[in-house]
Amino acid sequence: MLLVKMGGGDFDTDGIAEDLATLDRPFVLLHGANKLRDRLATALGRPPQVVESISGYTSVLSDEDAIDVLLAAYAGIRNKRIVEALRKHGVDAIGLTGLDGGLVEGVQNQGIRVKRGGRRLLLRDQSGKPRSVNGTLLRSLLDQGYTPVLTVPIAGEDGTALNTENDDVLALLASELDASDVVSLIEEVGLLADRDDPSSVVAEVDASELEEWEARVTGRMRRKIRALRSLFDRAGTPGPRFRLSDGRVQRPVTRALAGAGTLVMRKAENRNRGDASEFAEAADDARTSVAGRAAEGPTSESEAWLDRQRHHELDVYGKGGLTLVSGQGSRVQDADGNEYIDCIGGHGALALGHRHPALEAALAEQSKLLWFVPGAYGSPPRTRFLERLHEALPPELDRTFLSNSGTEAMEAALKIARAHTGRTDFVAAVRGFHGRTMGALSIAAEARYRESFEPLLGPVRRVPLNRSSALEEAVDSGVAAVVLEPVQGEGGVHVADPEFLLAARAACDETGALLVFDEVQTGFGRTGRLFAFEHSGVVPDVLCLAKSIAGGLPLGATVVRSGIGLELGTHGSTFGGNPIACAVARATLDVLMDSDLLEQVDPIGDLICEPVRSRSPRIVRETRQVGLMIGIQLKLPARPYVRALQEHGVLALTAGKSVLRLLPPLVLTAGEASEVGGILSEVLSRADDSRSCPW
Ligand code: PLP
């Protein structure tokens, strides 16, 4: 169990929420809001009264006014903002104070003894010391898949709201929940050997040294250390690994768990646990819980690689806890020797799975000839690939620009649309996704992808998928292009109706806008046809391709209708159309077009989905499937189920918050598909058996 405390400073709530969401583990979050409270109190004309007690502690006096402001700041604003941010990132957060359900109960202090004008006074103070935490309530919320987000006030003996020190609540929570890891995010880098030198962070402190530390530090840190001593006094053996770490940095919880800041623990008792974080424990659990896949040894190679990578990589992904090292067909192996059926399939880039023999041969052959040919020169593998691609396409789509990725294919399409029409606006679908570069990002529907980078390209008019009337209304003579995915991938596997695509075609024909189909994810057999537009028969003016085009090597393609193009010198790419990628892409097309693989796509997809459909677990709202593009819409966040599948030897991914997505290679065998279907229905049905999410 992970317990996180976020201090009362002005931390980046959204960044921390995102970081916590990527941990994919149950946790309880305790937070403060003292800076916000002070600002609010001042704004309301009730500035906080700071008093110094005779024993030398300064604190804010909690009179009735102060408790009102505290409720507004802690429970009303900060708590709900954190819940909002966590829910946005897919965590089913529930906001609570210690008052709710008597979650944290305490005893009111007698008051604060102060000296005023040489006299000793006892100031009445609505604050107290926490005594007990209702662990049953917290555990039952956790069992049901909720993440408790807790703050003050707590409940006094007669139910009165009391202010208290969150560090004392943390100590109680840690012992009540038997937390193995506690992360306390503060506005400092950790405990310092030299208080004037921020680079003198002490990496590890034994719990037995805390008394000494309490004497060394001052102010709020002294209070923290005192609470920490009480935490270790209460904790069983071996006790938690407690991290005091900087909350102002990016991904602060991940960094703390990876070793940033100061780690306080009972060193002797923790020695056998190595320096494993809860991540590594989870990896250990995963290994031992997967019969036949268990790897011996106390440490995880996967985690060791990830830890090293985390030191240097700007992490924008949130790692899934695995390091993959080898694979063939639909199976991959991790650094610890565990094997998985790969239903991530390179995020849909591996139509022919890993290391298909025909692709391996094409790669080996071209690697002995030439690795790079500039775009201005002829290149036989490029020529052969283009010829094979255009054999597969309708004749009116007769030219292609080659790049390296889906987003570049889209970027070229947007430039082509503007240059060809002389117009600026775009029409796209709600829930659409088209890549991460600035142009492609502008078209993406979800604000969370876009908002930190604005202003972007525009204007973009977004219409609900399959609402033809809205689309017809949006497309006028100011629109350069209508950009659509025939099946939305990242948006959660939503299929565009043929009527909607026909309406888009007609609207474009009428207004002169270009119709752009983004088949980056649906292309090359994923939906059972080589291209998804074949299902509706609607041919676009521009077709964007990437992902499965070259067996996992980087290659993108923007195909245009005859008569559409770009002026010489107005676009280009150094690596686009790389000869090795093109040789592999040509071999990919050979396999897809000359075998009966595409005919197998639907029945193999059915073998995966059928067990889920027939067992219909309560947690499943809907199963959407087009060939081997599968989206299972859940009633809960999907991430814990991705983890559960991984523990059972199946790699899957999410689409948005609550869609479990599978994009397995088209070479998945019937046996493998049945195995995946069985595991999937079992994992999803276990939620029914336990009446809650068991992970
Ligand atoms: N378009 C669609 C439909 C996609 O699904 C993606 C990626 O997931 C992209 C574009 C961007 O592709 P890439 O990641 O290769 O840039």
Side-chain angles (χ1 to χ4, degrees):
M1 161 61 58
L2 171 66
L3 192 54
V4 179
K5 178 183 168 238
M6 191 170 137
D10 291 323
F11 295 117
D12 168 13
T13 305
D14 192 64
I16 293 176
E18 187 172 10
D19 188 21
L20 286 165
T22 59
L23 298 181
D24 244 354
R25 308 199 53 76
F27 64 91
V28 173
L29 178 63
L30 176 70
H31 70 86
N34 53 310
K35 282 198 177 159
L36 172 65
R37 178 211 42 208
D38 293 352
R39 279 200 303 274
L40 195 63
T42 307
L44 291 170
R46 303 173 181 182
Q49 286 191 55
V50 181
V51 290
E52 186 175 342
S53 72
I54 290 170
S55 45
Y57 285 116
T58 51
S59 51
V60 174
L61 185 68
S62 297
D63 55 13
E64 220 165 282
D65 267 3
I67 291 288
D68 280 350
V69 177
L70 175 126
L71 279 166
Y74 283 69
I77 301 175
R78 179 61 50 83
N79 187 262
K80 297 310 157 209
R81 286 289 182 214
I82 295 174
V83 168
E84 180 188 31
L86 282 167
R87 297 190 71 83
K88 201 172 98 190
H89 291 291
V91 177
D92 221 347
I94 183 162
L96 296 161
T97 68
L99 279 180
D100 299 299
L103 194 53
V104 185
E105 289 181 339
V107 180
Q108 187 164 356
N109 295 335
Q110 284 187 335
I112 306 178
R113 288 181 197 286
V114 292
K115 238 185 189 169
R116 295 246 166 107
R119 287 177 50 216
R120 286 168 174 251
L121 289 178
L122 181 66
L123 300 180
R124 257 189 63 79
D125 181 53
Q126 223 171 294
S127 64
K129 197 104 179 117
R131 288 277 183 264
S132 63
V133 168
N134 185 342
T136 313
L137 176 53
L138 283 178
R139 275 188 290 275
S140 95
L141 289 171
L142 287 161
D143 283 350
Q144 290 177 63
Y146 292 108
T147 294
V149 178
L150 179 61
T151 192
V152 295
I154 60 169
E157 283 162 307
D158 58 356
T160 323
L162 299 180
N163 189 9
T164 196
E165 284 296 329
N166 259 337
D167 286 311
D168 293 333
V169 178
L170 189 69
L172 278 180
L173 278 172
S175 72
E176 179 61 41
L177 297 174
D178 199 15
S180 56
D181 282 274
V182 183
V183 173
S184 178
L185 298 179
I186 54 177
E187 289 178 289
E188 295 179 45
V189 285
L191 281 177
L192 301 180
D194 171 357
R195 78 175 68 156
D196 298 321
D197 177 7
S199 68
S200 66
V201 180
V202 180
E204 265 185 33
V205 167
D206 191 277
S208 64
E209 297 157 13
L210 284 172
E211 192 174 350
E212 206 182 298
W213 274 97
E214 191 183 336
R216 272 172 75 174
V217 296
T218 53
R220 290 197 65 79
M221 189 55 95
R222 178 175 289 176
R223 199 171 277 177
K224 272 188 197 307
I225 299 291
R226 185 188 283 182
L228 202 43
R229 284 180 62 195
S230 112
L231 185 151
F232 277 98
D233 286 347
R234 288 168 189 281
T237 308
R241 285 169 293 237
F242 188 103
R243 291 159 171 98
L244 266 177
S245 195
D246 197 342
R248 299 163 300 182
V249 296
Q250 275 195 356
R251 304 183 63 78
V253 184
T254 304
R255 288 169 73 127
L257 289 168
T262 300
L263 169 62
V264 185
M265 62 177 174
R266 293 197 187 113
K267 283 190 192 169
E269 284 87 342
N270 273 280
R271 196 157 292 138
N272 291 339
R273 294 159 91 178
D275 69 345
S277 67
E278 197 163 336
F279 291 100
E281 274 178 36
D284 285 347
D285 290 350
R287 278 203 307 282
T288 46
S289 70
V290 180
R293 290 187 201 93
E296 295 300 324
T299 56
S300 148
E301 284 289 319
S302 267
E303 269 304 321
W305 283 108
L306 279 170
D307 275 352
R308 283 169 60 185
Q309 202 169 328
R310 279 189 197 109
H311 272 95
H312 301 292
E313 190 181 36
L314 180 68
D315 190 2
V316 292
Y317 299 106
K319 299 278 183 277
L322 281 189
T323 297
L324 300 177
V325 292
S326 57
Q328 174 109 55
S330 302
R331 294 185 183 255
V332 285
Q333 292 83 36
D334 72 12
D336 297 286
N338 306 311
E339 186 165 278
Y340 305 85
I341 300 181
D342 182 3
C343 292
I344 295 175
H347 288 245
L350 295 168
L352 300 183
H354 297 272
R355 296 198 298 117
H356 189 284
L359 310 198
E360 229 174 12
L363 183 143
E365 192 185 334
Q366 183 58 36
S367 74
K368 293 192 193 103
L369 292 172
L370 206 53
W371 291 17
F372 184 90
V373 179
Y377 291 78
S379 161
R382 203 179 285 154
T383 310
R384 287 191 204 104
F385 165 59
L386 286 170
E387 283 173 355
R388 195 81 225 239
L389 177 67
H390 282 277
E391 243 176 69
L393 286 166
E396 59 269 42
L397 295 179
D398 68 355
R399 294 276 188 283
T400 292
F401 168 76
L402 293 175
S403 54
N404 310 282
S405 64
T407 199
E408 284 174 81
M410 181 53 57
E411 217 60 37
L414 300 178
K415 284 175 77 174
I416 288 168
R418 280 203 166 166
H420 183 77
T421 62
R423 304 171 185 175
T424 52
D425 296 13
F426 295 99
V427 172
V430 171
R431 291 207 215 93
F433 179 83
H434 305 283
R436 310 266 186 177
T437 47
M438 293 298 233
L441 195 61
S442 315
I443 312 294
E446 284 213 41
R448 73 189 159 107
Y449 293 125
R450 291 183 275 116
E451 58 197 5
S452 350
F453 308 104
E454 283 168 346
L456 294 169
L457 214 65
V460 179
R461 310 171 192 178
R462 292 191 183 81
V463 297
L465 187 74
N466 294 334
R467 187 130 10 115
S468 302
S469 55
L471 182 119
E472 281 154 4
E473 209 170 297
V475 185
D476 59 25
S477 58
V479 172
V482 176
V483 182
L484 297 171
E485 294 160 90
V487 182
Q488 293 182 328
E490 301 300 305
V493 188
H494 294 277
V495 186
D497 294 339
E499 301 75 45
F500 181 72
L501 298 178
L502 275 168
R505 180 69 276 171
C508 288
D509 290 344
E510 205 172 300
T511 58
L514 297 188
L515 181 60
V516 177
F517 280 175
D518 178 349
E519 291 231 32
V520 166
Q521 195 162 135
T522 51
F524 300 99
R526 172 78 29 214
T527 68
R529 301 281 180 93
L530 199 56
F531 304 108
F533 73 78
E534 295 171 34
H535 292 283
S536 65
V538 176
V539 179
D541 301 305
V542 183
L543 178 66
C544 296
L545 303 167
K547 291 214 190 256
S548 275
I549 195 170
L553 296 188
L555 187 64
T558 309
V559 184
V560 293
R561 190 181 279 270
S562 175
I564 298 175
L566 281 170
E567 294 283 318
L568 259 188
T570 58
H571 198 55
S573 161
T574 299
F575 291 112
N578 171 276
I580 293 181
C582 282
V584 175
R586 146 85 195 273
T588 303
L589 274 174
D590 286 349
V591 174
L592 289 172
M593 292 166 74
D594 299 342
S595 72
D596 64 355
L597 203 54
L598 294 186
E599 287 154 37
Q600 302 305 316
V601 169
D602 277 336
I604 295 285
D606 290 343
L607 285 173
I608 296 177
C609 295
E610 197 37 47
V612 179
R613 289 197 174 111
S614 62
R615 208 159 157 182
S616 58
R618 275 188 313 139
I619 190 186
V620 175
R621 187 159 280 144
E622 188 183 26
T623 301
R624 297 186 286 268
Q625 177 210 352
V626 194
L628 278 166
M629 197 164 175
I630 297 166
I632 302 176
Q633 177 83 54
L634 304 181
K635 295 174 189 163
L636 285 175
R639 239 183 236 136
Y641 295 91
V642 166
R643 185 153 200 114
L645 285 171
Q646 180 177 312
E647 288 180 8
H648 288 76
V650 174
L651 299 187
L653 62 166
T654 58
K657 181 181 154 195
S658 54
V659 177
L660 195 59
R661 188 167 41 138
L662 286 86
L663 299 169
L666 314 188
V667 293
L668 194 77
T669 64
E672 287 167 332
S674 302
E675 193 179 340
V676 171
I679 291 171
L680 193 57
S681 77
E682 183 62 32
V683 159
L684 294 173
S685 302
R686 272 173 60 189
D688 288 359
D689 298 342
S690 68
R691 302 194 146 266
S692 65
C693 170
W695 303 278

